[in-house]
Structures are given as C-alpha cells and as structure tokens.
Amino acid sequence: MMETPTQTAEHIESVTEFLISHYSDQLRDIALSSDPKLHYPLFLEFAELVDDNPHLARLVYSNPEQYLRLFDDSAVLAHKIALEHMKKFENKIGIEKRFIHVRINTSGSPLERSSDTFPSIGRVRVKHRGILLMLKGTVIRSGAVKMYEGERMYRCRKCKHMFPLFPELESINSIVKPPFCPSQRSKSCEGKNFDPVDDTVTRHDYQEIKIQENTQVLGVGVIPRSILVVLKDDLVDNVKAGDDVIVSGILTSKWSRDLKDVRCDLEAMVIANHVRRTNELKSEIDISDELIEKFKNFWSHFKDTPLKGRNAILRGICPQVVGLFTVKLAVALTLIGGVQHVDASGTKVRGESHLLLIGDPGTGKSQFLKFAAKLSNRAVITTGLGSTSAGLTVTAVKDGGEWMLEAGALVLADGGLCCIDEFDSMREHDRATIHEAMEQQSISVAKAGLVTTLSTKTIVFGATNPKGQYDPDQSLSVNTALSGPLLSRFDIVLVLLDTKNPDWDKVVSSHILAEVQIEEGRYVDDLTMIWPLPMLKRYIQFVKGNFRPVLSKEAEEIISSYYRLQRRSSTHNAARTTVRMLESLIRLAQAHARLMFRNEVTRLDAITAILCIESSMTISAIVDSMGNALHSNFSEEPDQEYAKQETLILEKLRGDDIY
C-alpha cells in the first residue's frame, strides 16, 4: 500500500520526535564523531517503540522494507536537529553526517515470543517474506567484505524531477527503472526517459555470512539447516565463524548463479538490520549477587573441612556415574583451568588444561565428555573417526569463484571446550594438526592463497580405548598408539581399567538400579549434598572470571621438588616428564585454588595437583602402585585422608633430599 506524501511526512516527524526524546545521547555521539563519510548505527529498542507508538511499531513489523528507509531518513533529520541544538545551547560544533542507519534491537520485545516472527532456520517459509524476522543460529561461514553500489539519483528528461532508485538484491543488484515518471504533481508528467545524475551514487560495504541452527534445539533426526545473511555498512565484520547470533532483518531471495545444466531457482536470504551476539551473554547473564553470597556461605560452612566442601561440588559432576572421584576432580580442574601467563617478550604460556581419558569399554568415558560439554559455555563434540584435519581446523571452500575459509571444530570451540571421542581412531596426520592448537593455541593456515593464523584458545578433552589389552608394564605411548609429543601436551592422562572387583561391581549395580527411584526428587536446594547442573555451571564461570591465584613460596617448592624427582626417575614415562609437566602442575594447582574459592595457591593445592599427575602415571614415582582411576571413590573423611597422603608425599620428597 502506497502512502501519500502527507502520511510519510507525518511518520517521519513522529519517528524524529521519538529518536530525539529517547536517543539524544547516541545522536550526540554521532554528531561529535569526526568522519563524515562513515555509516553510523543508531540502536533503537523495539520494546520502547511498542510502548511509545504501537501503530508505528506495527507498520515497521509488517512492512520493514519501506519503513526502515523512512527510519533512516528520520535519523538523519534528528541528527541535524541535534546538531543545531548543540550549536545553539552548548557552543559545540559537530560534523554533519549523511549516513545513519537505525538498527532495531528486538531483545525483550513481543516479537521474540512469537514463533511467527522467531522461527527456527529450518522452518522459514514464504509466509515470513516481507515482515521483520528474527533468526537464531551459529555463524559457520563469513565471506570477504565487498563493496556494492547502492541507491542512485535519476532525473526525468521531461520535467527534470529527481528521484532515487534502489538496486534489487534479488536480481543481482540490478536497477529497474520505473515505466513512467514518479513525480506526484497535480498534472502527471508521464515521461519515460531518465538519466542518472552524476556523483549521486551511495556505495555500501557488503558481506555475506551463513548461519546454521543450533544443534541443541533440533528435533529427533533433523539435519541442521543453514541460511544466507547479508550484512551491510556498520554490520560488516562484527561477527566471526563460531559466534552464536540472533539476526533480525527482512527475508528475501536471490536467483542462484547461472550454471550449465543446472536449474535456476530462488535461494532464501536475510538482509540483516541488527545482529546480536549471544555467546558473550551466556557467561555473564545470570550470576546474581544473591548467588555469590550463597557460594560464600557454602565455603564458610566448610571452613574447617574444606575438602568435604570440595567433594560436595565434585559429586554434582556426572552424578549418573558412581565413584570415579579422580576423574571428576580432573574434569573440574580441566574446565576451570589455570591463569594464562604472558612474559615480558610477549610469549604466552597457556592457561587451559587438556585431559585425556584412556579406558576399557563401558568405563563411562563418553558420559564425562557429554557432561563436560554441558558444563561449558561453548562446546563442540566430534568423534575421531569422522574428523579430518580440515574438519578439525579450517576448510578452504570455493564460493562463487573465490576461496574462503570455513571454521572447523577447534576454531568453533575457541574460548570453550572441544571434545574428541574415539581419539585413537583418527588418522595419524589428522592428529598432528592438533599439536599447534593445543600448545600454541593458534592454527596457521596456508590454503588456496589464503595465509592466516586463527585463534584456538580451546580446552581439548579426549577419550580413547587402549590398543588391545592394556599392559601395565609398557609405557602410555605403546598402550595407546599415541605419539610422545601429543601425550606430553595433555595435562592429565587418566587410565580407567575394568579389572574384576566384586565389591566395586556391587556398588555400581546398586547405584544404576537406584537411579530410577532418585529421578523423582532430583533437584535439591541444599548445596552441602549435591550441586545441580545450572549451579555448577555458574560456579565454574564465576571462579574462572573472578580469581587469579598466585603461587605461595611453599607451593612453589613442593611443585619444583616433585618435578625434579620425576625427572630423575623418568625412565618409564619419558613422553610425560617434560617441562610441560611443570607447567601442568602449576595450572592444576591454580585451578584447584580457584575450585576452593581462593586467590592463593597453598600447599593443599600443590599436593592435589601432584596426586592428579600421579594418578596419570603408569608407574608412580611416589606411590608404588599402578594408577587405576576407575576404582577411586569419594571418601567419608577426605580431610583426614588428605593428611595421610600429604605426609606420604612430603616424606618421599624429603627422603630424596629434594624438598
């Protein structure tokens, strides 16, 4: 429905008033910016527009193509009024800008609650065309930033009337001229010849990204769908592959490229008006002061028996698996991680820990992988057999005659967790690509003329079966067929052996049978018993963000002396006892201090880190028994048991005149 010029003028006036009354600070910042050629965003809350002017909000929703342009014109007008105001009352001279785009943030508005305006990507249909639409997904590809010619002014030869024409993205940015002159005078002109006016072309930055629906929200047996999104002007280069985003924009379509013997059809795409990243919000959104107080009260309750408190937290990790105390501790320490250290020359020592579980079938390895992925804000799960080096790192994809990079599992998990199941079934050269990602936390790519380095600050969590029957007399690299360089990069390597133990079998079977009855009254608010998953997730997030533990003198000495002892007796585990092991000890001690809600690494943390490393040694330098983490259970009095272990370790270190 075409509007009369009077209605358009009224709408522009009401939008301008709304922008000046609600967004004067943003208009002021735009006026004081120095570059007049840039395209500036003006962020508008749709919820505020609904409250202030519901009729206008309805029009924008139902006909965004027309009204978003009208909003942009209003923003330029409001900007001019703000300039005048500043000049008159504040004696500040701003610079006039030509390009201001209103970006409508639909967060918290009624549009987000309707399945018509917020469908999943797989449910986008023709009925969604022409309305303001929102889509949620993960960016899987971001193309190069290009430039295209936008609107251009044309002049009628007959009546000299000037009017703008906009290119149609549907027909590959071609401009379609009107059949006759659009001047709305009392006597129509009806001229049919138009000339372009020189120097009136507006050029735009332009980028195409592809978003795919999140796999967590899919139904049974559904393949995740993807859709093309076009970003223009100030939106380009705001998101990268792996980001979770909510895009609001207009659904349109474009003709697919002309290929020989291929039917030409329309391909759906969204022209974005606003892009909101959600992966940053996940971590900060819901840790309230009340919750922090709860954490503090919990630790003050366990002031005299801190390890009992720690074990209460660990019980919440993978509660469906009974016992396995060492593995649960290792998972917690790996997810929390240490503090990244950057020295004076700019060399980084990673803060993320890596964990490898080696175990017989049926020892719960994949259960831990799945649970760790739930605990992490950003997680990617892959299996070794279905992963190639390109799938783990980056793939070079040819898109419309040009090459571009598509992110793989490690890049998508940047800042989170990458779980690789069946680690042993990966091909050798595919496994080698992980080396750089694990230690240097970057991936260097030189493919198809694209040379770049991508960040992969990822925790790698691997699970593998031993090669044949596990032989305690052989080293880890023989038992797992994993190379020494790769094993040395894992901070903790835990061996889970399914030995015949009647007592243990009885405990496990009774636990599995009791699970069915526990299901009803699962959520317990009492933190001293067992921690629910949402609480655990927030706790890990909080301690990661708020504590940066520093090593005490005593902890330093214990770690250093244990490392020297391991180096002396390292005939069996040469692949594990490298300098990396010392860094691992420091990271694990820092992670344990964070887990214990502290900012200082004490003797307790250092000895727990040593016990973790000990359980990952096939033949221990201190305890003369072979480590099997499967039968490690939660003790009733952990603090007393720890006192015995501490005495044992310190005696061994002192006995060798190291400590």
Side-chain angles (χ1 to χ4, degrees):
M1 190 180 78
M2 283 294 289
E3 285 197 338
T4 63
T6 322
Q7 283 176 316
T8 308
E10 279 172 12
H11 285 145
I12 287 180
E13 194 179 322
S14 56
V15 175
T16 309
E17 279 174 20
F18 172 73
L19 292 176
I20 289 170
S21 61
H22 288 76
Y23 302 104
S24 54
D25 291 347
Q26 285 192 53
L27 288 166
R28 183 190 165 85
D29 291 344
I30 292 170
L32 293 173
S33 300
S34 56
D35 193 343
K37 290 182 181 174
L38 273 182
H39 290 255
Y40 290 90
L42 180 68
F43 296 102
L44 179 146
E45 296 290 335
F46 192 75
E48 285 184 6
L49 182 64
V50 171
D51 291 343
D52 191 87
N53 192 335
H55 173 62
L56 204 57
R58 176 84 198 157
L59 288 172
V60 174
Y61 157 68
S62 56
N63 189 357
E65 200 162 343
Q66 181 183 344
Y67 282 93
L68 285 175
R69 282 180 192 154
L70 188 139
F71 269 56
D72 290 357
D73 295 343
S74 306
V76 174
L77 189 62
H79 160 71
K80 286 177 180 169
I81 294 169
L83 272 176
E84 289 293 320
H85 184 274
M86 283 166 63
K87 198 172 178 183
K88 201 183 251 183
F89 296 104
E90 297 178 32
N91 280 336
K92 284 189 178 173
I93 299 172
I95 300 169
E96 191 176 321
K97 312 292 186 302
R98 282 177 55 207
F99 310 113
I100 301 172
H101 304 284
V102 172
R103 303 293 177 203
I104 296 181
N105 182 6
T106 51
S107 169
S109 70
L111 296 185
E112 283 209 335
R113 294 190 282 276
S114 160
S115 58
D116 284 344
T117 53
F118 203 171
S120 63
I121 293 172
R123 294 187 173 277
V124 172
R125 300 287 181 267
V126 175
K127 67 172 184 177
H128 295 118
R129 198 170 179 278
I131 60 167
L132 193 63
L133 183 74
M134 276 159 299
L135 295 173
K136 185 178 186 175
T138 307
V139 180
I140 53 168
R141 181 195 295 182
S142 59
V145 177
K146 302 171 186 170
M147 188 168 75
Y148 89 106
E149 285 193 358
E151 60 270 28
R152 167 181 277 214
M153 298 297 284
Y154 278 80
R155 185 190 286 119
C156 172
R157 284 185 189 172
K158 193 171 176 185
C159 68
K160 302 293 183 250
H161 170 67
M162 283 169 67
F163 56 92
L165 282 183
F166 296 90
E168 290 185 2
L169 278 171
E170 285 188 16
S171 50
I172 318 172
N173 291 349
S174 58
I175 288 182
V176 181
K177 293 180 185 176
F180 47 82
C181 177
S183 65
Q184 293 176 333
R185 297 176 186 171
S186 52
K187 192 184 175 195
S188 61
C189 153
E190 292 184 2
K192 292 180 183 177
N193 295 326
F194 314 106
D195 294 326
V197 182
D198 294 340
D199 299 328
T200 56
V201 181
T202 306
R203 290 178 176 82
H204 299 274
D205 291 321
Y206 169 94
Q207 183 187 21
E208 287 184 5
I209 63 169
K210 206 170 201 177
I211 62 170
Q212 178 179 295
E213 56 192 323
N214 301 36
T215 44
Q216 290 91 352
V217 294
L218 291 180
V220 181
V222 180
I223 296 170
R225 307 281 179 204
S226 56
I227 195 167
L228 204 66
V229 176
V230 172
L231 306 179
K232 294 201 284 195
D233 302 320
D234 52 287
L235 295 178
V236 299
D237 259 356
N238 272 359
V239 292
K240 58 182 190 303
D243 284 339
D244 294 329
V245 293
I246 293 178
V247 176
S248 52
I250 306 163
L251 180 72
T252 175
S253 50
K254 68 169 186 177
W255 287 102
S256 56
R257 287 189 173 78
D258 257 346
L259 297 170
K260 196 180 176 188
D261 300 332
V262 176
R263 194 178 71 185
C264 202
D265 52 8
L266 283 166
E267 187 183 343
M269 69 173 182
V270 173
I271 299 170
N273 170 262
H274 183 264
V275 177
R276 187 164 96 248
R277 282 168 65 175
T278 56
N279 41 334
E280 291 165 347
L281 304 175
K282 264 189 196 172
S283 53
E284 298 152 11
I285 204 159
D286 44 12
I287 300 176
S288 59
D289 295 340
E290 184 186 322
L291 201 59
I292 296 167
E293 201 55 46
K294 212 171 185 179
F295 294 152
K296 286 177 180 167
N297 292 343
F298 171 81
W299 282 109
S300 60
H301 176 74
F302 286 108
K303 195 165 66 200
D304 303 326
T305 53
L307 291 180
K308 210 166 187 178
R310 179 199 69 185
N311 287 6
I313 296 174
L314 295 183
R315 275 196 185 91
I317 292 178
C318 219
Q320 70 269 30
V321 179
V322 68
L324 270 74
F325 164 72
T326 318
V327 186
K328 292 182 180 182
L329 177 62
V331 169
L333 296 186
T334 306
L335 285 173
I336 290 170
V339 181
Q340 187 184 30
H341 169 65
V342 184
D343 64 10
S345 65
T347 311
K348 288 179 184 171
V349 177
R350 66 183 162 95
E352 279 74 21
S353 307
H354 303 307
L355 170 64
L356 178 67
L357 297 179
I358 304 166
D360 293 330
T363 47
K365 301 185 299 295
S366 299
Q367 296 273 4
F368 280 108
L369 247 70
K370 292 273 193 300
F371 194 83
K374 279 186 203 164
L375 274 179
S376 179
N377 274 339
R378 192 169 177 175
V380 175
I381 300 181
T382 70
T383 53
L385 203 60
S387 304
T388 59
S389 57
L392 282 171
T393 54
V394 230
T395 323
V397 184
K398 198 164 192 180
D399 182 47
E402 64 172 280
W403 288 95
M404 61 203 293
L405 294 176
E406 205 162 277
L410 287 166
V411 180
L412 288 176
D414 182 23
L417 171 74
C418 182
C419 302
I420 305 172
D421 209 346
E422 309 287 343
F423 207 71
D424 53 330
S425 55
M426 284 170 73
R427 290 191 295 275
E428 187 57 48
H429 74 275
D430 293 341
R431 227 180 276 144
T433 57
I434 308 179
H435 287 202
E436 187 194 356
M438 283 175 74
E439 196 59 48
Q440 277 73 40
Q441 299 201 315
S442 64
I443 286 176
S444 307
V445 190
K447 293 183 179 187
L450 301 163
V451 181
T452 182
T453 304
L454 299 162
S455 161
T456 54
K457 282 184 70 177
T458 309
I459 300 166
V460 176
F461 193 160
T464 174
N465 292 317
K467 196 179 78 178
Q469 187 65 37
Y470 192 91
D471 183 0
D473 299 330
Q474 296 286 355
S475 67
L476 270 176
S477 47
V478 173
N479 273 310
T480 56
L482 296 176
S483 61
L486 187 57
L487 277 175
S488 71
R489 283 171 163 79
F490 284 104
D491 295 45
I492 308 178
V493 180
L494 291 180
V495 182
L496 305 171
L497 297 182
D498 194 4
T499 50
K500 308 292 179 284
N501 182 333
D503 300 338
W504 178 253
D505 294 343
K506 191 177 176 184
V507 170
V508 171
S509 56
S510 59
H511 176 81
I512 291 170
L513 294 168
E515 274 286 287
V516 187
Q517 291 134 31
I518 296 170
E519 280 303 311
E520 286 86 54
R522 176 102 271 189
Y523 189 85
V524 187
D525 202 39
D526 180 17
L527 293 185
T528 54
M529 293 300 293
I530 186 166
W531 283 44
L533 174 69
M535 193 68 86
L536 258 177
K537 194 169 180 175
R538 286 167 199 171
Y539 181 75
I540 287 176
Q541 203 54 50
F542 178 72
V543 294
K544 270 176 91 168
N546 292 56
F547 291 102
R548 300 185 68 78
V550 182
L551 267 79
S552 64
K553 199 84 191 120
E554 193 178 18
E556 268 181 31
E557 283 170 7
I558 291 174
I559 288 174
S560 159
S561 51
Y562 174 70
Y563 170 67
R564 296 204 300 277
L565 172 66
Q566 279 289 7
R567 291 288 286 178
R568 279 199 342 217
S569 59
S570 70
T571 50
H572 205 71
N573 282 316
R576 299 276 296 131
T577 48
T578 59
V579 181
R580 287 192 181 132
M581 181 185 169
L582 182 61
E583 287 174 3
S584 297
L585 280 164
I586 294 166
R587 270 194 293 274
L588 293 173
Q590 286 173 334
H592 193 262
R594 278 176 166 176
L595 178 63
M596 303 293 281
F597 218 67
R598 285 200 308 262
N599 246 332
E600 187 192 26
V601 178
T602 60
R603 181 163 70 182
L604 166 70
D605 304 316
I607 286 180
T608 311
I610 288 172
L611 288 169
C612 267
I613 295 274
E614 277 295 299
S615 57
S616 68
M617 292 289 173
T618 39
I619 287 183
S620 164
I622 288 181
V623 190
D624 295 326
S625 63
M626 193 204 73
N628 181 9
L630 186 69
H631 298 164
S632 56
N633 213 335
F634 285 85
S635 63
E636 291 298 314
E637 295 296 334
D639 294 86
Q640 291 166 16
E641 193 165 303
Y642 162 74
K644 289 180 200 163
Q645 289 168 332
E646 181 183 328
T647 317
L648 179 77
I649 289 175
L650 294 181
E651 271 177 15
K652 182 72 179 171
L653 295 177
R654 287 192 186 114
D656 285 9
D657 298 328
I658 294 177
Y659 177 59

